[in-house]
Amino acid sequence: MQTQPLRTLFLDAGGVLIDPNWDRVAEILRRHGVEADGPTLRAAEPHAKLRIDQPARVRITDDAARGFDLFHLVLERCGIALSSATDAALDDVHDYHARHNLWERVIDGTTEALDHLRTAGLVLVVVSNANGKLHALLDRLDLSRRFEVVVDSFVEGIEKPDPEIFRIALERSGADPATTLHAGDLYQIDVLGARSAGLRQALIDPAGLYPDADCARFADLSALASAVVECRI
């Protein structure tokens, strides 16, 4: 049976539109006497996320706990030993995140890709596990106006991979699951969550760490946007 053309695109925020500000994290670490630099931390992030994106870990944690795990695993990947200094630095990191949302670096090419999709007639929706600051963050980054609906898990009281959060987004956007694709950066949370809600799925995999994933994979949103507009997915 021929697949219907996509009409709606659900997008995760972190890892798809925006990344943590690793330069800010490095500056906080250095303030506490821990030598670190943003590019090295940034390069370690995909490998740390892969360790979090495991069935057993997802089952027993929530988004907040996985966020704490991420920073510890990034430091470990960079060979930075955990200590009282790193604990104090990460306390400051989490405090900043709670007040502002640390995922404040817009990934290169994001705004152009979103505008390309909108020009092609796609309805764009954010469906993200977040901390209640997502709407304000997207406003601050001048991304909100590119989306019809923004669904923040903290506000809804429900997180991916629970299919209910996708159903909320479908209802608010008036979308049909058969013509909706969700793209995210975590297989267990984004791909399997969207699949359980009857949506099509794609994985954003910039470091190529999911070669055996049973879904479409793209290096970034720009590559996904090109495939969607050209009807290759």
Side-chain angles (χ1 to χ4, degrees), residues 84-101:
S84 58
T86 59
D87 289 346
L90 292 182
D91 283 345
D92 286 353
V93 167
H94 292 305
D95 178 66
Y96 181 89
H97 180 58
R99 288 184 290 114
H100 303 290
N101 198 317

Side-chain angles (χ1 to χ4, degrees), residues 176-196:
D176 180 348
T179 58
T180 302
L181 179 141
H182 174 72
D185 64 327
L186 295 173
Y187 179 85
Q188 298 295 326
I189 291 168
D190 290 295
V191 172
L192 296 187
R195 188 172 293 169
S196 68

